[in-house]
Amino acid sequence: MNTLARFCLFFLPIFLHTLIALHADTVRCPVCGQEFDDSVVECPNDGTNLATEGRKVIHAERPLPRDTDDVPATDADTPDDGARYKRPDVSGTRRRTTAVADDDDPLPAERSDRKRRLGSERRPGDTRNEEQRQRAARERQEREQFTAANEAIWREYAQAQEAWQNTQRLAAEEAETERRREAEKQWNALWRRGAPLTSLGARLWWMKEGNSPGPTYGAELGANILRDRIRLGLSSFLGTRALTTRHEFVFFESLNVGLQYPWRFAPWVVARMGIGATVAHRFGNHTPYLLRGFGVEAGIDCRIHPHFVLSPSLGFMHYGIQDANWNTAAFQLAIGF
């Protein structure tokens, strides 16, 4: 049993393969007439594409030869009349056409019978040159597109840069114009402003006693209520009367009323009147005295800066206490704000 099984397993595949081969379709080459299995794509003799141009051959079951039938002749018994196809590598009687000018390719080249039979319009030909030409055309087109896009970007950048520069230039011009206009306004304002709002200065006058001229000097703080054409203000003086034998403390509060011309160098004249006190040290005691005064004073406001004014002035004043009177000149140099 084991021997029979091994025999079946060995010969069964061979039998099936032979049976399939006998019933398989074959293809006949239209050029050489030789039959091939349908799995063969190209004829090995002349290169014909059997898949598209081959002719299928369906084998019918051939009857077994009988004793009375003639045995088919072999190649050795059949005379060579040239009717049968012979391979070139065996008989050498058939040669492929060589050195035939091709219409598509001017260079001479060997062509198979299939190419001659199919014609130039059905030949696949060598497409490498055409592919290279198309590739070069695509690359050239891509370069041209890139160059055009790059130039467009640079043009847009140049336009944006020019627009930005124009904007900056216009802004700078407007800023410079505004600065000059503001400077002109400030300059013109210097000529139209009146008296400063406040001032701080040094004042000097004389109150003589005996052989001592009695210079009285100190600081004066002033404030102007009206500063245009009418000048109205208050001032407070705090200083010292210097005598040969002693020094006296002096305080004087005055009211100033007058006129002025609103200009950069504004002249003015005011009437001054007020009261104050002096404190004298006599006989070991501090004795206060009531101080009164009135007079006239003129000066000029020199406006150096919109908020800085230099004001020199000269006046004539009359001061008096309980038992003494003085007529004196008064000088002042003030800084106004």
Side-chain angles (χ1 to χ4, degrees):
M1 186 64 182
N2 293 334
T3 303
L4 181 59
R6 284 196 299 268
F7 177 80
C8 292
L9 291 175
F10 179 77
F11 284 100
L12 182 60
I14 297 175
F15 176 76
L16 293 176
H17 180 72
T18 304
L19 183 62
I20 292 173
L22 290 176
H23 289 276
D25 293 337
T26 59
V27 180
R28 179 179 294 110
C29 178
V31 178
C32 65
Q34 189 174 353
E35 296 180 2
F36 301 95
D37 186 60
D38 58 357
S39 60
V40 179
V41 178
E42 186 177 355
C43 178
N45 299 325
D46 50 20
T48 303
N49 191 345
L50 299 178
T52 58
E53 301 179 11
R55 300 178 180 176
K56 293 185 178 181
V57 179
I58 301 176
H59 295 280
E61 295 183 359
R62 298 179 180 178
L64 295 177
R66 294 176 296 177
D67 295 339
T68 58
D69 296 337
D70 296 334
V71 179
T74 61
D75 293 341
D77 299 333
T78 304
D80 189 6
D81 54 359
R84 296 188 59 188
Y85 174 79
K86 296 182 180 180
R87 293 178 56 181
D89 56 349
V90 175
S91 62
T93 58
R94 187 180 184 189
R95 296 290 185 269
R96 295 184 180 181
T97 306
T98 58
V100 179
D102 193 353
D103 296 337
D104 298 335
D105 188 1
L107 297 178
E110 291 187 1
R111 299 190 302 173
S112 63
D113 293 341
R114 174 175 172 271
K115 288 185 177 180
R116 294 181 62 188
R117 177 174 49 82
L118 294 177
S120 59
E121 66 279 0
R122 298 180 59 185
R123 300 173 191 172
D126 190 1
T127 61
R128 288 177 296 179
N129 295 332
E130 181 65 19
E131 292 178 355
Q132 293 178 358
R133 188 186 64 79
Q134 294 179 359
R135 187 182 303 108
R138 287 195 302 270
E139 293 177 355
R140 182 172 62 256
Q141 184 178 4
E142 291 176 357
R143 286 195 300 269
E144 292 176 353
Q145 293 177 355
F146 174 79
T147 303
N150 190 33
E151 291 178 354
I153 292 174
W154 275 108
R155 283 195 300 271
E156 293 178 359
Y157 172 77
Q159 294 175 358
Q161 184 73 8
E162 184 178 1
W164 180 81
Q165 292 178 356
N166 293 335
T167 303
Q168 293 295 321
R169 184 176 64 257
L170 292 177
E173 292 177 356
E174 292 178 357
E176 181 64 19
T177 303
E178 185 64 24
R179 186 189 65 80
R180 292 182 179 180
R181 187 183 298 111
E182 188 64 25
E184 184 177 0
K185 288 181 180 179
Q186 293 180 1
W187 175 259
N188 294 332
L190 294 177
W191 297 87
R192 294 194 300 268
R193 292 191 178 185
L197 180 62
T198 60
S199 62
L200 178 64
R203 177 175 289 273
L204 171 65
W205 76 84
W206 290 267
M207 291 189 299
K208 183 179 180 181
E209 183 177 333
N211 295 327
S212 176
T216 303
Y217 52 87
E220 185 175 64
L221 178 64
N224 295 312
I225 301 174
L226 298 179
R227 300 181 297 136
D228 194 2
R229 296 184 179 273
I230 298 177
R231 190 180 182 108
L232 174 64
L234 298 173
S235 61
S236 300
F237 173 81
L238 184 63
T240 301
R241 179 188 181 194
L243 299 174
T244 305
T245 59
R246 67 185 185 277
H247 286 77
E248 294 181 357
F249 174 78
V250 179
F251 171 76
F252 190 77
E253 185 73 23
S254 63
L255 175 66
N256 309 319
V257 180
L259 300 175
Q260 69 178 10
Y261 182 76
W263 198 40
R264 183 177 182 185
F265 301 98
W268 53 269
V269 58
V270 294
R272 294 173 59 90
M273 61 195 71
I275 59 175
T278 62
V279 180
H281 182 75
R282 291 183 177 182
F283 310 109
N285 295 321
H286 294 280
T287 304
Y289 296 93
L290 180 64
L291 178 66
R292 59 188 182 276
F294 59 89
V296 63
E297 187 173 355
I300 184 170
D301 291 337
C302 301
R303 190 171 292 277
I304 301 174
H305 188 267
H307 305 289
F308 183 80
V309 180
L310 184 64
S311 300
S313 63
L314 174 63
F316 179 81
M317 294 293 296
H318 175 80
Y319 293 102
I321 58 176
Q322 183 178 359
D323 53 357
N325 293 283
W326 298 272
N327 295 319
T328 178
F331 298 94
Q332 182 183 15
L333 181 63
I335 299 175
F337 303 96

